[in-house]
Amino acid sequence: EVQLVESGGGLVQPGGSLKLSCTASGFTFSGSSMHWVRQASGKGLEWVGHIRTKANRYASAHAASVKGRFTIARDDSKNTAYLQMDSLKTEDTAVYYCTRLIEGSSDAFDIWGQGTMVTVSP
Amino acid sequence: QTVVTQEPSLTVSPGGTVTLTCASSTGAVTSGYYPNWFQQKPGQAPRALIYTTSNKHSWTPARFSGSLLGGKAALTLSGVQPEDEAEYYCLLYYGGAWVFGGGTKLTVL
């Protein structure tokens, strides 16, 4: 079965750090660009960032709202993508999803994980 | 700051047709923005429906279609079913970064 499973969410104080994981199964992880998306309670989806494949030199990009605080990485040997979140703010409180982008002549997002909740609170 | 704009809410009758749109603050949306559309129901993760303007996933019901319309990306639902009541999001590519629209809450009434 093709799936993504996020883990690592929890409660953290403002200014703290947290590392989320997204573990893939059922497909060739190393050939997929991986993205993180978040959603605050009652709000819309926000693209957080991505990391591309080895063939694309593991290039990454991040939304302006998290740039310099969040870092996306991957370990293809473990079929896992990571979201390292530092200097967390209360406004980072959200459900964090990972999703796969199939790059090519058509850029297609397809599978999503179930999400992991991050709460930033004193 | 790039802004992607969707209708906040729309209402459609069962069996009817409705079009949701997705506009970019930078100008006309083209296929080069690789428009993707997603459906999200309460308490669930988003589900991909359409990629690169008009391509459907294997699980996308035939009543959903994507297009470019008047400088915007568009998602049309024909023969709307009660289970189509959900939030719908578009996603556009801006040369290295992606931006979601604010979402359209579709009510089937």
Side-chain angles (χ1 to χ4, degrees), chain A residues 10-83:
Chain A
L11 175 63
V12 61
Q13 291 187 336
S17 297
L18 205 59
K19 186 175 183 178
L20 307 183
S21 299
C22 168
T23 302
S25 59
F27 66 93
T28 305
F29 177 78
S30 60
S32 301
S33 171
M34 298 303 298
H35 294 241
W36 288 93
V37 174
R38 68 183 181 181
Q39 185 171 38
S41 180
K43 303 297 184 183
L45 300 174
E46 179 186 13
W47 181 80
V48 173
H50 73 174
I51 185 163
R52 300 182 73 185
T53 62
K54 181 179 180 181
N56 291 288
R57 303 180 182 180
Y58 298 123
S60 64
H62 303 77
S65 59
V66 305
K67 210 165 192 176
R69 300 188 300 121
F70 289 12
T71 303
I72 298 174
R74 64 190 296 157
D75 185 338
D76 290 344
S77 69
K78 296 182 178 179
N79 288 345
T80 301
Y82 303 99
L83 179 63

Side-chain angles (χ1 to χ4, degrees), chain A residues 35 37 39 43-47 50 52 60-62 64 97 99 101 104-115, chain B residues 1 34-36 38 40 43-52 55 57 59 89 91 93 96-102:
Chain A
H35 294 241
V37 174
Q39 185 171 38
K43 303 297 184 183
L45 300 174
E46 179 186 13
W47 181 80
H50 73 174
R52 300 182 73 185
S60 64
H62 303 77
Y97 298 99
T99 179
L101 173 67
S105 56
S106 297
D107 276 10
F109 287 87
D110 58 355
I111 56 174
W112 290 67
Q114 84 290 347
Chain B
Q1 176 84 359
Y34 299 100
N36 277 251
F38 305 90
Q40 187 180 35
Q44 297 183 14
R47 181 174 77 134
L49 292 174
I50 300 287
Y51 61 96
T52 310
N55 297 282
H57 291 283
W59 55 81
Y89 294 93
L91 178 62
Y93 179 64
W98 295 79
V99 180
F100 278 98

Side-chain angles (χ1 to χ4, degrees), chain B residues 32-102:
Chain B
Y33 285 79
Y34 299 100
N36 277 251
W37 289 91
F38 305 90
Q39 178 192 65
Q40 187 180 35
K41 296 182 178 180
Q44 297 183 14
R47 181 174 77 134
L49 292 174
I50 300 287
Y51 61 96
T52 310
T53 304
S54 58
N55 297 282
K56 300 179 186 182
H57 291 283
S58 59
W59 55 81
T60 304
R63 61 184 180 275
F64 290 85
S65 63
S67 63
L68 296 176
L69 198 62
K72 301 178 184 179
L75 176 70
T76 299
L77 288 71
S78 304
V80 171
Q81 301 296 308
E83 60 265 29
D84 297 333
E85 183 162 295
E87 193 86 22
Y88 291 84
Y89 294 93
C90 67
L91 178 62
L92 301 180
Y93 179 64
Y94 291 89
W98 295 79
V99 180
F100 278 98

